[in-house]
Every structure is written in C-alpha cells, then in structure tokens.
Amino acid sequence: MDNLQAGDPKYLKRRVKGCTLDVHPTEKALVVQYEVEATILGELGVPMVGERKECQKIIRLKSLNANTDISSLARKVVEECRLIHPSKLSEVEQLLFYLRSRKQPNDNQEKKRISPRDFTPYTGVELDEEASINSIDEYVELLYEDIQEKLRGATLIFQLARNPDNLEELIQNEAALGALARVLREDWKQSVDLATTIIYVFFCFSSFSQFHGLVTHFKIGALCMNIIEHELKRYDLWQDELQKKKKAYEEFSDNQNLKKEHEKSFRKYQSLLTKQEQLLRVALCLLLNLAEDTRTELKMRNKNIVHMLVKILDREDEELLLVVVSFLKKLSIFLENKNDMAEAFAVEKLARLVPCEHEELLSTNLRLLLNLSFDTSLRSQMAQAGLIPKLSSLLADEGQRQLSMCILYHISMDDRFKSMFADTDCIPQLMKMVFECGEEKMDVELISLCINLAANKNNAQVVCEGNGLKMLLKRAVKLKDVLVMKMIRNLSQHNGPTKSLFLDHVGDLAAQISEEEAEEFVIESLGTLANLTIPDLDWALVLKEYNLVPYLKDRLKPGSAEDDLILEVVIMIGTVSMDDSCAAMLAKSGIIPALIELLNAQQEDDEFVCQIIYVFYQMVFHKATRDVIIKDTQAPAYLIDLMHDNNTEIRKVCDNTLDIIAEYDEEWGKKIQTEKFRWYNGQWLEMVENRQMDEAGEPFLYGEDGESFIGNGDILERPDLFYSADGIMGADGAISPEFYADFQNGELGPTGYLSSVSDQFVPSAQIPADRPMSAYGFRPDEQFFYNYTTASR
C-alpha cells in the first residue's frame, strides 16, 4: 500500500445532532428526526470536507394496545434506539400514551374514503418486473415500439412516478415526458389501457402544484378534455347498440341466438364500461388538480366541462362519482358554473345519490347541494326532486346532520315549500334535538330551521303536538332564549287550535314584560302576546294583574327604547284595544296623546303610522272611547292629513276610521266630506278658482253681477253645484231617501261625482276592519335567517 501523502484524506468522522421525536400521522409508530454531520479529516486531523444531511427513522410499535405497559415499552425503545438520548425517556412515554389513546380509523372505512388525490393505483395492467430509475432510458425506447411495448414502457415509468421521490429526477428527463405526451396524443384511441396508464403518470405530477407547469407545457389538460368528450360519445353509442339488441331479443324471445348475442354484448359492454370509467376517473382527477388555477378552470368551463360532469352523474361507479361530485363542488362557487348546472338539471341527478352507502360521496354531494341551495330556482328543483324527506331522514345520522340541516334551512326560506315539511319526520326529529340540548346552547342551524318552519300553520300544529309548546316555553323562559321565543312567536300567529293553546301560557308571557328583562327577549314576548287575538282572552285582567299599562305608556315616548320595542308596544296596544274595557282603561291612562306624539316623531315610518292609526280605529270603534278620540284629541285631524297617503294600507285604515268618525260626529263629518270632495275634484276646483274672468265674461261660470258660483262660502253649502235631477237632490242639497235606496240596490249608473265617491260619501254601519298586519299589506313570516355566506369548496 502506498503511503498517504500530506493533505490526503485520512478518515471520515460522523456525528448525530438535533434529535427530535414525534408520532406518525397514521400508523402506531414514533418518528425520530435527526441530522448527520459528516466530516473528512486530513492526515493531521484538519477538517477538509464537511456535509450535513437530515434523516429520519420510524420505530413501529405493532404490539402497542390498551394493555401495554407504557413505562416498560418506553425504556425498551430508548435502550434499543441509540439515536434517542436517555434524558428523553419521559417524552417517549408521553408520545406512547398519546398513540395508545389516539382513535384509530376503521380499516373498512379507510378503503371506502379515498380522496381524488390519494387515488388507488391503476390495476389494469400488471407486470412481473420491477421498475428501476436507472433503466429509464430503456423504458423510453419501448415507447417507440408497437402498442404492447408502448404499454409496457408506460407501465414501468408509471411504477417510478408513483414514488414521489422519483418525480424530481423524472422531470429532468424531458425526453421521457415528451415521448409519453406524444404517444398519448397519437395513440389514445387505439388502447384505453395505454391512455389510462400515461394519464396516470401525468396525474402523479399534477398532485403537486410545482409540477403543474410541466403538465400544462405538454397540453395534457386539453388532451384529457378531448378524451373525456370522445368517451362520452362512445358511451352513448354503446347504450344505443345495447338497447337495439335488447329490443330485438324481447320481440323474438324464442330466438336463442338473439338471446346469446344480447348476453354476449352485455358482458362486453360491462368490460368496456369498467375500463372507460377508470380512464374517466384518472383524467378527471388530473383536471381537478389543474383547476387549482382559476384561469385553467375557466378554460375548462369554456370547453363545457360542467355539462360533461353532469352527464357522468348517471353512472353507478361510486369512485368515479366521488371525483365528479368533488369537481362540481369546486366549480359551483362561481355563478356561471352554477347556472350551467341548473341548465343541465344537475339537482335531479344529485338527488338520486341521497342517501348512499359511500360516506365520502354522500358528504361531498351534500356540500355541493348546499352550495347550489343559495339559488332560489335550484332550491325549487330540490324540493320537486323529493330532497326534503331524504334530507330529513339524514338528520338521524350525526355525520351528515349539520349539512342536511343547512340545506333544509335554505329550502325552508321559501314559503312555497314550508308545508312540505309537515309530511316528513323532519319536525319530530328537530324537536327531539331541541329538547336533547337541555340547558346547553342550541346550534344556530337547528333553531334557525325551527323558526322558519314554525311560520307555517301545518308545521306549527306538528310542533305543538303533545307538550311541544309547553316545553318550548319552559326552555325559553328559563334560559331567556331569544331565538326559541322567536320560534314561539311564529307559532302564535296561526289562527285555530294552535293559537288556542296559548291561553294557558298568557301569564308566563305577560310576566316577561318588564324593565328588568333583556330588550330583545321582551320584544319577542310582546310580539307573541300581540298575536293572541283570542275571543276568550280577558285582556283587562291580564293588564291589571301584571300592571302592564304603565310599562306600555312609558315605552311610547320617542327615544325611550329601540324602535323595534316601541313598535311592538303599539301593536300590543292595538290588540288589547279590541276589548271595550281595555280600550277605556288605556284611554283614561293618557295613552292617546302619547300615540299622537309618537306619530309626529315617526311620521316617515309607514309601519309605525299604520299601527298607530289602527289603534285609533279600535278606539273610535268602541263607544266607551269614541268621544275621547273625537272630542278630546286631534287624532281626526291627523287622519284627514293621512287619508291620501301613498301607502295603500295606511289609506285603508284611515278610510275605515274616518267613516266611523263621520257617522257619529256631524262637524268632523262635514270636514271629512269636504276634504274627500276636494281630493276627488281637485283638478276641476283648481281650474275654477284660478281662472280669471275675461272681457267677454263667462256666463257659465259667473253670474250677471260677476259673482262666482263658488262664492266665498263652503263649496258644499252650494247645492246648486250638484246635479239637480228630480228625485235626486232636494232644495236643501240633501240626498233623497229614494236615491239612497236605489244607489244601494245598484240601480243607478255612474253619475259623475256621486258614483266616484259613493263609498265614502254615503256613510253606513261599519264592521271592524281586519287588523293591519303590516304597512305593506301583510306581516312577513318572522324568520331568523342565519347566512351561510361561505360556499363549500
């Protein structure tokens, strides 16, 4: 052996540094991560070359179970693994404790729950030989041979690509990737297996974002789109051919040859279908990965990807369906894609998959339906497709409960579909969940759905069955739960047996009306009481027993509380004023001036104006309070000002109230009559009053002395201005009884002014007007809308 010269390397020195411990993410194993520092020393011990490398060691603990002695096992691990310093014994014990208590996934479930990224290996072609990265050039040469050799070469390269450690080296071999892309582009129609294998290679690259540029460079995405489109057309042809042979076999059932031919064609069809679906699955997975870039996704959309995906929803292969639904879910967050899905009737096909045994497919499908349920028309399609009972049945599945509840909530927002819930087991299940919450806070999705459903009469009856209403009130009062009280308020708005159930609980509700309670809770309690228009309810007794009159009067002062609370107080006063004794009690307390003051302050708010006028209507309707309204307040003057308001409901309530006032008070009746005349004949009056007499005179408008026919008096004091046909007007300008009788019998035709204002001009006995549910003609169903503003990706 030659002697070492000065400066020649003498020996290699290695040292382990920075050892850290962690648990394996899926297996029962410890992961030891450490750093090796290698240094080459010269003859004199001087370091010449140094290098560091990060390494890891996995210690698998197959024997670890519930009965394992953790302390003994930890000592054994430290003794046998020299990388772990004895000082880390306690840390090893903690990690072992965690591994033992960690819930292990069910193996059967894991096999079913395969995400598109963790795609199962392609099993269409099996080779006995094992691929080596060093032989890559040989595999590339096979791509220039016949189809079978190309398939063999592509399969060997695929074996390499399945290992992520080889991808960096493969990407450097441009010749291999270029040859694969060329073969796919030229020969994909000749062999499904070859096309599937090559797409699988590029799919392995597409699983990592940093390699997307490579896949795009070879235009694999566009090629996959063409392949999918072609395969869907082939599928249609197979279906047509199979149907023809089936029809021929059914027509000539005695012909055994036709029967055998049909059976043979069906077996061939199944074989072709299996391979085609495997090809579609990997191609769609690759496209789904590339769609991370929204610009690439837009290109796919322009090539009709949505309609292709919806068409594939008719298939039965659950793994293929999982990829399709996942893709649609990602696309559904964009308006244009959602519209394409609506156009292709995707909801009907998705409804077919609810429920299904494949848990991940079911969950992904529900997330897609949730995204689509933000669209009103698509919610309608969901209801028509029978999704309400299907989703209701999933409420029992804890894994799918929340998604199902969110979709049902969106459907329940539409009044057209609320009644459909009454025929399912949805409401009983929701009530069970509500009561199982005990004193814990209820999920907002659960109570939101309950609030919406309670706005329907049939649903309300189901909710209140048994002790439903009693239990809800008990929870609301005990926990001061505003949302449960909102649900109770919706229940209280329905006439019939449901409203009668509240008679036993009026005291509980009235007891909540106090200054000590939270304002939101009081608002809902007041709203519930205001809905209880029950003839058997003694409101006077309720007001006295719970001393509500001072509270109601104090809250009428502008600025004394939030507008929502003040409005509920006004509505409550309108409800209790239906009772004679209550109306008198409120009038004596000075509530009417407070209402007029509030009317001045809230004159721009139609809802306030409408409800306050309704209180006035109730007051004038009762004999006990009529004089107070007419003689002691200026309420009639306000009503005259509002009789021509732009809001239809305000005009309606005003007219009904003024008709009663005019019937019982002659002075106000004349003012009301004059105002109505001026309103309906305003244009003519303006013309008469503004026109100047010219030199020639106006014999039709002015007398010989130049005095206007209108004169200086009240227009209604001039009976000669009215039509003076015999039997209609007397000398004093009053309507004759005969005319009044004929008019009521409908025997008179239109006669100018009289016909246009007959219903106001001729007072008649009034009956109570319907309560104005809102200034807009109705009171919208009280709903608590919880916005799911983020669509699921």
Side-chain angles (χ1 to χ4, degrees):
M1 180 182 289
D2 297 334
N3 293 330
L4 289 173
Q5 301 297 320
D8 286 347
K10 188 174 182 182
Y11 64 92
L12 181 67
K13 182 179 179 182
R14 295 184 181 180
R15 186 169 58 177
V16 176
K17 297 177 64 178
C19 177
T20 59
L21 298 172
D22 201 352
V23 295
H24 195 280
T26 57
E27 300 180 19
K28 287 184 178 180
L30 294 176
V31 179
V32 183
Q33 295 181 337
Y34 59 96
E35 189 178 78
V36 176
E37 186 181 76
T39 307
I40 299 177
L41 302 179
E43 182 179 347
L44 302 177
V46 179
M48 296 179 61
V49 180
E51 184 178 357
R52 290 184 179 182
K53 185 177 181 181
E54 293 182 354
C55 305
Q56 78 172 22
K57 178 179 178 63
I58 298 176
I59 305 173
R60 289 180 170 81
L61 308 164
K62 296 181 180 179
S63 61
L64 182 64
N65 56 51
N67 301 320
T68 302
D69 184 346
I70 296 297
S71 300
S72 301
L73 182 59
R75 285 195 297 272
K76 185 177 180 182
V77 169
V78 172
E79 289 172 3
E80 294 187 4
C81 183
R82 296 182 179 180
L83 296 171
I84 304 175
H85 194 271
S87 63
K88 292 184 177 288
L89 179 61
S90 61
E91 184 180 351
V92 173
E93 286 187 14
Q94 291 177 358
L95 294 175
L96 292 177
F97 270 117
Y98 171 76
L99 279 174
R100 187 174 69 176
S101 61
R102 183 173 67 180
K103 187 177 180 181
Q104 295 296 320
N106 186 301
D107 292 338
N108 294 330
Q109 286 185 350
E110 284 298 308
K111 289 179 181 177
K112 291 181 181 179
R113 297 172 65 85
I114 300 172
S115 66
R117 290 293 182 90
D118 302 325
F119 218 72
T120 52
Y122 175 51
T123 55
V125 178
E126 296 179 357
L127 294 176
D128 295 334
E129 58 185 306
E130 186 173 344
S132 170
I133 193 68
N134 298 321
S135 305
I136 184 66
D137 292 338
E138 298 176 14
Y139 307 152
V140 173
E141 290 178 4
L142 293 174
L143 299 176
Y144 292 89
E145 304 296 332
D146 59 19
I147 291 294
Q148 288 301 318
E149 290 300 302
K150 287 178 180 178
L151 180 57
R152 176 169 168 261
T155 304
L156 290 167
I157 296 174
F158 170 53
Q159 285 186 20
L160 298 175
R162 281 171 55 186
N163 184 351
D165 294 337
N166 294 329
L167 293 179
E168 287 284 0
E169 190 166 344
L170 285 173
I171 202 172
Q172 304 297 328
N173 195 328
E174 192 172 345
L177 299 177
L180 285 170
R182 175 187 59 78
V183 172
L184 179 62
R185 191 164 47 252
E186 294 175 356
D187 300 328
W188 65 266
K189 287 184 180 180
Q190 298 184 42
S191 171
V192 174
D193 290 334
L194 178 61
T196 305
T197 305
I198 296 176
I199 293 175
Y200 238 124
V201 174
F202 286 102
F203 164 75
C204 294
F205 285 100
S206 72
S207 297
F208 300 91
S209 300
Q210 60 266 37
F211 298 141
H212 284 187
L214 166 77
V215 181
T216 305
H217 171 72
F218 289 108
K219 299 182 179 179
I220 302 300
L223 189 54
C224 283
M225 290 286 294
N226 294 336
I227 292 173
I228 292 171
E229 185 178 9
H230 177 78
E231 291 299 327
L232 292 179
K233 290 178 180 177
R234 286 181 66 190
Y235 176 79
D236 291 338
L237 291 175
W238 294 344
Q239 289 280 350
D240 292 342
E241 185 179 352
L242 199 63
Q243 286 297 323
K244 288 178 183 177
K245 291 186 177 180
K246 183 179 179 181
K247 187 176 181 181
Y249 159 64
E250 289 175 349
E251 288 180 0
F252 304 98
S253 55
D254 296 336
N255 192 322
Q256 294 299 317
N257 291 332
L258 288 176
K259 181 179 179 180
K260 290 180 181 179
E261 186 177 349
H262 174 261
E263 292 175 351
K264 182 180 178 181
S265 298
F266 185 71
R267 287 193 298 270
K268 181 181 178 182
Y269 163 77
Q270 286 183 315
S271 175
L272 292 172
L273 187 63
T274 301
K275 289 191 174 185
Q276 186 191 68
E277 289 182 343
Q278 204 161 15
L279 171 61
L280 292 174
R281 189 154 49 106
V282 66
L284 288 172
C285 275
L286 184 145
L287 292 174
L288 179 56
N289 289 343
L290 295 181
E292 286 181 359
D293 185 347
T294 52
R295 292 170 298 181
T296 305
E297 184 179 300
L298 180 59
K299 293 178 181 178
M300 296 179 192
R301 192 247 166 192
N302 292 337
K303 289 192 174 184
N304 215 20
I305 185 67
V306 174
H307 285 80
M308 292 182 190
L309 291 169
V310 173
K311 193 171 183 179
I312 299 174
L313 286 175
D314 293 325
R315 307 293 181 100
E316 298 297 330
D317 185 274
E318 290 182 336
E319 294 299 330
L320 174 60
L321 290 172
L322 174 59
V323 180
V324 171
V325 174
S326 299
F327 209 148
L328 287 171
K329 178 171 70 70
K330 183 182 185 307
L331 294 169
S332 65
I333 62 175
F334 293 102
L335 177 67
E336 297 81 4
N337 297 330
K338 182 267 298 179
N339 292 338
D340 286 348
M341 292 178 206
E343 185 181 308
F345 302 101
V347 168
E348 294 180 11
K349 298 185 178 183
L350 293 170
R352 180 181 68 89
L353 305 176
V354 180
C356 67
E357 294 182 1
H358 195 295
E359 289 187 21
E360 189 173 4
L361 174 58
L362 177 58
S363 178
T364 308
N365 192 20
L366 292 178
R367 291 179 184 278
L368 170 57
L369 287 169
L370 176 58
N371 286 1
L372 298 179
S373 68
F374 285 88
D375 183 272
T376 308
S377 61
L378 289 177
R379 288 202 296 269
S380 176
Q381 291 184 25
M382 290 177 192
Q384 293 168 5
L387 266 176
I388 293 178
K390 289 184 175 183
L391 293 170
S392 299
S393 66
L394 290 177
L395 293 175
D397 183 352
E398 193 171 345
Q400 313 299 341
R401 178 179 299 165
Q402 188 162 4
L403 285 170
S404 302
M405 210 158 9
C406 291
I407 301 170
L408 288 172
Y409 166 78
H410 278 170
I411 297 175
S412 72
M413 290 167 59
D414 196 320
D415 289 338
R416 293 175 298 167
F417 310 126
K418 284 187 173 73
S419 59
M420 299 175 70
F421 286 82
D423 300 327
T424 69
D425 63 342
C426 179
I427 296 175
Q429 289 201 61
L430 293 176
M431 294 300 291
K432 182 182 177 183
M433 283 186 269
V434 168
F435 298 139
E436 285 177 350
C437 289
E439 296 187 7
E440 297 178 3
K441 186 177 181 181
M442 204 181 304
D443 288 340
V444 70
E445 295 86 0
L446 171 59
I447 188 59
S448 301
L449 177 56
C450 290
I451 290 170
N452 281 3
L453 294 181
N456 176 268
K457 186 174 183 178
N458 294 334
N459 294 337
Q461 292 176 357
V462 178
V463 170
C464 294
E465 284 179 355
N467 292 325
L469 178 59
K470 181 179 178 181
M471 297 291 288
L472 286 172
L473 269 167
K474 183 178 178 181
R475 176 185 174 88
V477 172
K478 184 177 181 180
L479 303 179
K480 305 301 178 186
D481 194 322
V482 176
L483 298 182
V484 175
M485 187 56 76
K486 191 180 287 285
M487 178 185 177
I488 294 170
R489 180 179 176 179
N490 275 1
L491 294 172
S492 69
Q493 70 185 0
H494 305 295
N495 294 321
T498 304
K499 188 170 289 189
S500 300
L501 293 174
F502 280 84
L503 275 173
D504 297 333
H505 307 288
V506 171
D508 295 330
L509 292 167
Q512 311 308 313
I513 313 301
S514 67
E515 296 181 1
E516 289 75 22
E517 297 293 346
E519 194 170 89
E520 289 184 353
F521 192 73
V522 174
I523 288 173
E524 300 305 328
S525 302
L526 269 173
T528 305
L529 282 172
N531 284 334
L532 303 183
T533 52
I534 307 173
D536 299 333
L537 182 53
D538 188 348
W539 277 115
L541 181 61
V542 174
L543 294 181
K544 289 176 182 177
E545 185 172 344
Y546 294 95
N547 196 28
L548 293 181
V549 175
Y551 179 89
L552 297 176
K553 183 180 177 182
D554 290 343
R555 288 296 175 275
L556 288 178
K557 297 175 183 177
S560 62
E562 292 293 330
D563 283 355
D564 288 344
L565 178 56
I566 299 175
L567 179 60
E568 293 302 331
V569 168
V570 175
I571 297 173
M572 176 71 176
I573 293 172
T575 298
V576 300
S577 295
M578 294 179 182
D579 185 274
D580 282 348
S581 57
C582 282
M585 186 190 308
L586 293 172
K588 290 177 183 177
S589 70
I591 271 183
I592 297 173
L595 286 170
I596 292 175
E597 183 183 354
L598 181 62
L599 182 60
N600 283 327
Q602 299 285 356
Q603 56 185 325
E604 299 299 326
D605 190 318
D606 282 1
E607 189 71 26
F608 265 101
V609 172
C610 187
Q611 297 297 346
I612 292 172
I613 293 174
Y614 178 70
V615 175
F616 292 159
Y617 168 79
Q618 289 293 349
M619 294 289 184
V620 300
F621 190 75
H622 300 302
K623 185 177 180 180
T625 53
R626 188 179 302 130
D627 290 344
V628 179
I629 286 285
I630 296 175
K631 297 178 180 178
D632 298 343
T633 72
Q634 289 299 311
Y638 283 97
L639 294 171
I640 289 174
D641 288 340
L642 292 167
M643 65 188 296
H644 304 306
D645 193 88
N646 292 329
N647 191 295
T648 306
E649 284 300 307
I650 292 176
R651 292 200 306 271
K652 178 181 175 183
V653 182
C654 271
D655 284 345
N656 290 327
T657 310
L658 289 170
D659 284 347
I660 298 175
I661 294 174
E663 186 174 351
Y664 288 99
D665 189 278
E666 184 177 351
E667 184 179 349
W668 276 113
K670 186 176 292 188
K671 292 179 181 179
I672 294 166
Q673 191 176 351
T674 301
E675 177 58 30
K676 289 185 176 182
F677 179 87
R678 289 185 180 279
W679 174 259
Y680 284 100
N681 298 277
Q683 188 175 3
W684 180 77
L685 289 172
E686 183 180 356
M687 179 189 71
V688 172
E689 291 174 354
N690 294 334
R691 185 167 182 177
Q692 300 295 328
M693 182 174 56
D694 57 15
E695 294 179 358
E698 293 287 348
F700 294 103
L701 292 179
Y702 300 92
E704 295 179 359
D705 56 355
E707 182 183 358
S708 169
F709 280 126
I710 297 176
N712 298 321
D714 193 317
I715 185 81
L716 295 181
E717 295 296 329
R718 296 296 304 269
D720 51 326
L721 288 178
F722 295 99
Y723 294 102
S724 56
D726 293 339
I728 297 179
M729 295 295 265
D732 58 354
I735 301 177
S736 68
E738 293 80 3
F739 172 79
Y740 182 35
D742 292 342
F743 183 82
Q744 283 189 318
N745 294 331
E747 296 176 7
L748 292 179
T751 55
Y753 160 71
L754 289 175
S755 67
S756 65
V757 295
S758 58
D759 54 336
Q760 291 87 5
F761 188 73
V762 183
S764 60
Q766 298 290 319
I767 59 171
D770 291 335
R771 172 181 169 182
M773 298 306 289
S774 160
Y776 307 102
F778 66 98
R779 175 172 293 282
D781 291 337
E782 288 291 332
Q783 297 170 335
F784 177 77
F785 289 145
Y786 178 81
N787 284 326
Y788 302 97
T789 54
T790 305
S792 174
R793 296 193 64 134

